[in-house]
Amino acid sequence: MSTPRPAARRGLSRRALSHRVLARLAVLSLALGSAVAALPARAEGVLRIAQQFGTLYTPFHVMKEKGLIEQHGKALGIDITVDWSRLSGGSAVNDALLAGNIDIASAGIGPFLTLWDKTRGTAQEVKVVGAFGAQPNFLLSNNPDVKTIKDLTARDRIAMPVAGVSVQARILQLAAEQAFGPGQAKKLDGLMVTLPHPDATAALIGGGTEITAHLSNAPFQNQALKDPKVHKVFSSYDIFGGPVTPTVAYATVKFRQDNPKTYKAFLDAFAEATRWVEAHKQEAAQIYVKVEQSKLDPAFVAEVLSDPEVQYTLVPLGTLKFADFMNRIGAIKAKPASFRDFTFEDLHAASGS
């Protein structure tokens, strides 16, 4: 029968063992920590992109059809797998970006500015990669009594992708402020109805629903205006005093930092596609119809793309007017001094606004 060791000796042995274990754990922890720190947040070569509806997304259609992102990735020495998804409304896009479900978001400048303001200085800070070009948004109506927004009544309903916060909602709010005076920006908010552009167009043309107006975009506004019952109430260019890039592509600063080659491949492809659409509107129209599986005549889409009011550029235009207005009504806290405050450095050499 063995003799138990004295309590003091047992204590020393346990302490010594404890010190040795802790020392080994510390070394292991340091090694694991160094290994984790050396890894990027996500491996290069995977890109998840969200887009919405309209011909302003034609550069994305061209990128997809021609495999431009993959081509530019190979030029940089990486194979890129691209996943395209379709969402409706800036709120859904922003939620997907914050949840880490997409890498490149695309939405109106209003929803973007809301997210930029919310994430400034945080790990999820977002900035604009590029704009989808300048293009007007029309307020349309099938109510013959509505000549200006002052003619809208409680019986009217105005469709837009997301009531209250979409780029269309902000356009209507600014128009209301101009028409009814300071402090009246949200006077017509109660008339807004959330509806995707295709559904809103069908409702406006078909009639028989509560929808009597639609703050639209191309090609839906052009399609609706072919119907004699539909007329234009105003253009966003009237409200902002000139061309505006209403929709932008954006990403988190962290994604750009962690995936520099994937990001550059996307940016280079986006720029190439934008230039290509400008120079090849007929072919671009055919690609739009093919990718969208649209029933529209390619000649009609080419006419939309060739509208002299449309400018093909990645550089934001008129966006500071959006930001100033949103700051004035309390929608965002920060008031950017320049478009460079909310865009990546790649655009800073250009003359944006």
Side-chain angles (χ1 to χ4, degrees):
M1 181 175 175
S2 61
T3 303
R5 289 179 296 172
R9 290 183 62 190
R10 289 201 304 271
L12 283 173
S13 176
R14 286 170 182 166
R15 283 197 296 271
L17 177 62
S18 178
H19 288 318
R20 287 196 296 271
V21 170
L22 288 175
R24 288 176 182 175
L25 287 174
V27 171
L28 179 60
S29 177
L30 181 63
L32 288 173
S34 299
V36 170
L39 291 174
R42 185 168 58 75
E44 287 253 39
V46 176
L47 189 62
R48 299 162 302 171
I49 304 172
Q51 69 177 84
Q52 298 190 60
F53 298 95
T55 50
L56 75 171
Y57 287 99
T58 301
F60 269 15
H61 295 94
V62 171
M63 291 160 68
K64 182 178 182 179
E65 180 68 14
K66 291 180 170 291
L68 295 183
I69 297 172
E70 295 86 343
Q71 291 177 29
H72 283 279
K74 288 185 181 299
L76 294 170
I78 60 170
D79 291 322
I80 300 178
T81 300
V82 184
D83 177 42
W84 298 87
S85 61
R86 178 67 63 85
L87 298 171
S88 180
S91 296
V93 172
N94 284 348
D95 289 345
L97 186 62
L98 290 179
N101 295 327
I102 59 174
D103 306 307
I104 301 292
S106 56
I109 186 65
F112 162 74
L113 287 169
T114 300
L115 189 60
W116 167 78
D117 185 62
K118 178 181 178 180
T119 61
R120 285 183 315 120
T122 73
Q124 292 182 305
E125 182 174 3
V126 298
K127 290 190 175 183
V128 170
V129 181
F132 284 92
Q135 185 179 93
N137 294 88
F138 296 161
L139 175 63
L140 307 175
S141 180
N142 62 11
N143 182 348
D145 295 330
V146 177
K147 307 301 183 184
T148 74
I149 63 172
K150 288 186 175 182
D151 298 322
L152 292 163
T153 71
R155 296 188 300 274
D156 292 294
R157 291 295 180 269
I158 310 165
M160 58 191 65
V162 183
V165 297
S166 63
V167 64
Q168 287 80 9
R170 299 306 184 190
I171 292 170
L172 185 62
Q173 288 170 348
L174 179 55
E177 183 184 72
Q178 292 175 358
F180 300 107
Q184 299 298 308
K186 297 187 178 182
K187 183 178 177 67
L188 301 176
D189 279 19
L191 306 184
M192 296 181 186
V193 175
T194 297
L195 203 61
H197 288 309
D199 298 334
T201 303
L204 194 68
I205 294 174
T209 73
E210 65 175 357
I211 303 302
T212 59
H214 176 204
L215 227 165
S216 189
N217 73 356
F220 306 105
Q221 59 198 20
N222 310 74
Q223 181 184 6
L225 285 171
K226 297 289 186 182
D227 191 292
K229 299 188 300 295
V230 178
H231 65 278
K232 180 171 69 172
V233 179
F234 69 65
S235 165
S236 59
Y237 283 14
D238 302 330
I239 306 304
F240 287 91
V244 178
T245 49
T247 304
V248 292
Y250 48 103
T252 64
V253 172
K254 188 176 188 327
F255 173 77
R256 183 175 183 265
Q257 291 172 341
D258 292 344
N259 303 273
K261 290 185 178 180
T262 303
Y263 176 91
K264 180 170 173 51
F266 170 79
L267 176 61
D268 290 347
F270 194 12
E272 179 182 344
T274 299
R275 294 190 300 268
W276 190 88
V277 172
E278 169 67 26
H280 304 85
K281 296 185 179 69
Q282 300 291 334
E283 296 103 310
Q286 293 172 358
I287 288 176
Y288 172 86
V289 169
K290 177 182 178 181
V291 174
E292 286 287 324
Q293 297 182 339
S294 172
K295 295 181 180 179
L296 292 175
D297 184 347
F300 169 73
V301 176
E303 178 184 326
V304 173
L305 296 177
S306 301
D307 188 323
E309 289 193 315
V310 176
Q311 298 180 33
Y312 295 92
T313 175
L314 295 187
V315 182
L317 300 174
T319 53
L320 285 177
K321 295 179 181 179
F322 263 102
D324 290 347
F325 169 69
M326 291 178 65
N327 173 258
R328 187 165 67 250
I329 65 172
I332 60 174
K333 296 178 181 178
K335 182 178 179 179
S338 164
F339 82 100
R340 296 177 181 86
D341 292 348
F342 51 76
T343 59
F344 285 114
E345 294 85 345
D346 312 276
L347 301 178
H348 289 184
S351 298
S353 61

